[in-house]
């Protein structure tokens, strides 16, 4: 039986990335700089319109887990793919990165593997058009107790909280993780997702989560108040609270301890995956017993690396960047 340092549960999405200009976005009716959920027919139309596309395994938590694998941790990712070309690509890519993928591709069912068409404009903004397909069907049957009871840290993706079977899967995973002595946490993922399920998110954060990562908009949505008040309330309900603020200082709270980590502003080449790699850097620090400040700095360094190139996963040895910046 394998013991893991971090196990993630999230949407198993293949990212399909292409460069374009603003006029293309306008012509295709794509709203710039946000993630939109789309239906199958729209997905096929946008895929066909992409030029010089590149393909990579993605999904928010999937990107984070890949970043942690890059940093040398023992990781696994729980997600759902179809036994089709994209699903087999996703499985092979994770294994190639050293991450275990306990769930074999599903042979039966109508929904295909998930994909996100990401259009990157010259200013580095990414416009994501995601067809969730089979990945959104993660349920309790996908959560292996042998995996979640044998991890030090569990990391959940808020997007999967949109469906009742996703909520049940998260509860099973968190309880299993705690039985094994691990810590469970979640990325809030999206303010609109939080708004749709606010009461359930509040209950999950207060009763099951040991740490929560969110941006300022997600925290404000969760508590329906200004950021300072939201973070104070969160710190009363959850052991460890992390707030990113779009280029401003990152705030980390643990009990009475408050740390603000400055963010070095850089011109992004492609902002895809910045939050995902922040989470990877932070969780590396958390998993290896670093201080809040060091863990926050690690998150910022990892995020800065990924926005300096196309794609949502690191292209260099991020641990060497940590050493260069004196955090390890």
């Amino acid at each position: 039986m394998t013991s893991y340092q971090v196990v993630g549960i999230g949407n198993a999405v293949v990212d399909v990335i292409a460069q374009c200009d603003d006029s293309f976005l306008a012509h295709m009716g794509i709203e710039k700089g946000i993630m939109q959920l789309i239906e199958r027919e729209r997905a096929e139309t946008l895929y066909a319109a992409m030029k010089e596309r590149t393909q990579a395994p993605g999904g928010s938590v999937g990107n984070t887990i890949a970043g942690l694998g890059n940093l040398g941790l023992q990781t696994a990712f729980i997600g759902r793919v179809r036994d089709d070309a994209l699903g087999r690509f996703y499985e092979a890519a994770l294994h190639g990165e050293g991450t275990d993928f306990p769930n074999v591709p599903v042979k039966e069912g109508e929904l295909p593997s998930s994909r996100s068409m990401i259009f990157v404009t010259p200013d580095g903004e990414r416009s994501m058009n995601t067809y969730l397909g089979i990945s959104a069907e993660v349920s309790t049957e996908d959560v292996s107790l042998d995996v979640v009871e044998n991890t030090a840290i569990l990391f959940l993706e808020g997007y999967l909280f949109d469906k009742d079977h996703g909520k049940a899967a998260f509860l099973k995973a968190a309880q299993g993780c705690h039985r094994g002595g691990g810590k469970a946490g979640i990325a809030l993922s999206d303010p609109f997702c939080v708004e749709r399920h606010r009461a359930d998110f509040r209950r999950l954060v207060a009763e099951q989560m040991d740490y929560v990562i969110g941006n300022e908009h997600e925290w404000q949505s969760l508590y329906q108040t200004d950021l300072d008040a939201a973070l104070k309330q969160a710190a009363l309900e959850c052991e460890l609270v992390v707030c990113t603020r779009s280029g401003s200082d990152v705030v980390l709270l643990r009990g009475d301890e408050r740390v603000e980590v400055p963010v070095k502003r850089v011109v992004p080449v492609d902002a895809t995956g910045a939050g995902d790699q922040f989470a990877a850097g932070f969780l590396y620090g958390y998993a290896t017993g670093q201080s809040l400040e060091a863990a926050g700095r690690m998150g910022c360094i990892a995020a800065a690396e990924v926005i300096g190139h196309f794609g949502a996963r690191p292209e260099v040895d991020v641990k060497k960047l940590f050493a260069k910046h004196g955090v390890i």
Side-chain angles (χ1 to χ4, degrees):
M1 188 176 296
T2 303
S3 292
Y4 297 102
Q5 288 165 288
V6 184
V7 169
I9 304 179
N11 282 304
V13 182
V14 176
D15 287 340
V16 187
I17 305 169
Q19 299 178 51
C20 72
D21 56 23
D22 287 346
S23 63
F24 176 87
L25 297 182
H27 176 71
M28 298 301 296
I30 298 169
E31 190 168 348
K32 183 175 180 177
I34 68 167
M35 193 282 284
Q36 289 183 307
L37 295 178
I38 59 175
E39 298 300 323
R40 189 170 181 173
E41 184 177 348
R42 172 73 167 163
E44 292 171 352
T45 298
L46 292 181
Y47 184 83
M50 302 180 91
K51 296 180 180 179
E52 298 182 7
R53 51 184 176 248
T54 59
Q55 190 169 285
S60 180
V61 167
N63 289 334
T64 297
I65 294 299
L68 288 163
N70 173 277
L71 287 162
L73 298 193
Q74 185 71 31
T75 57
F77 178 74
I78 293 172
R80 195 170 177 86
V81 298
R82 180 77 183 273
D83 188 13
D84 54 20
L86 286 179
R88 291 187 291 272
F89 166 80
Y90 196 95
E91 180 185 37
L94 281 192
H95 286 313
E97 295 171 335
T99 293
D100 285 354
F101 190 54
N103 305 75
V104 297
V106 178
K107 293 185 179 296
E108 304 298 329
E110 297 181 1
L111 295 176
S113 294
S114 310
R115 73 291 310 267
S116 181
M117 276 64 67
I118 302 173
F119 297 91
V120 184
T121 42
D123 58 3
E125 284 288 341
R126 86 274 194 227
S127 306
M128 306 173 68
N129 300 265
T130 303
Y131 170 62
L132 289 178
I134 198 172
S135 75
E137 300 303 311
V138 168
S139 67
T140 53
E141 69 181 63
D142 298 302
V143 177
S144 166
L145 292 180
D146 285 343
V147 175
V148 297
E149 290 180 354
N150 289 284
T151 184
I153 295 173
L154 178 71
F155 186 44
L156 307 174
E157 181 173 321
Y159 288 125
L160 280 179
F161 214 59
D162 249 340
K163 295 190 176 182
D164 288 342
H165 45 70
K167 295 174 184 176
F170 280 8
L171 184 61
K172 177 183 177 181
Q175 290 175 342
C177 174
H178 287 145
R179 278 196 303 274
K183 299 284 191 179
I186 192 169
L188 295 176
S189 294
D190 180 80
F192 301 109
C193 185
V194 170
E195 186 175 328
R196 287 192 294 271
H197 305 279
R198 185 175 289 112
D200 288 335
F201 265 113
R202 287 283 301 271
R203 191 175 304 112
L204 184 74
V205 168
E207 297 177 3
Q208 298 293 336
M209 296 295 97
D210 301 293
Y211 68 93
V212 181
I213 302 172
N215 66 32
E216 54 191 323
H217 307 296
E218 292 154 4
W219 284 116
Q220 288 169 330
S221 177
L222 184 64
Y223 292 102
Q224 294 179 282
T225 185
D226 64 84
L227 183 61
D228 284 343
L231 293 181
K232 286 179 182 177
Q233 183 62 35
L236 293 174
E237 298 182 3
C238 185
E239 178 183 320
L240 176 55
V241 171
V242 182
C243 177
T244 59
R245 298 189 294 170
S246 300
S248 298
D249 293 359
V250 174
V251 179
L252 303 98
L253 303 171
R254 182 166 54 193
D256 293 331
E257 183 182 6
R258 178 186 175 105
V259 172
E260 295 193 17
V261 177
V263 173
K264 182 180 179 181
R265 290 183 176 272
V266 297
V267 178
V269 173
D270 174 12
T272 308
D276 306 337
Q277 293 312 316
F278 171 85
F282 166 76
L283 288 174
Y284 178 82
Y286 186 47
T288 56
Q290 305 296 320
S291 68
L292 280 191
E293 181 181 8
R297 287 184 64 195
M298 288 174 173
C300 293
I301 291 166
E305 187 280 334
V306 81
I307 67 175
H309 58 76
F310 288 101
R313 301 195 173 192
E315 289 187 346
V316 303
D317 186 336
V318 178
K319 193 181 290 187
K320 289 184 178 178
L321 292 180
F322 292 166
K324 180 181 177 181
H325 287 83
V327 291
I328 58 173

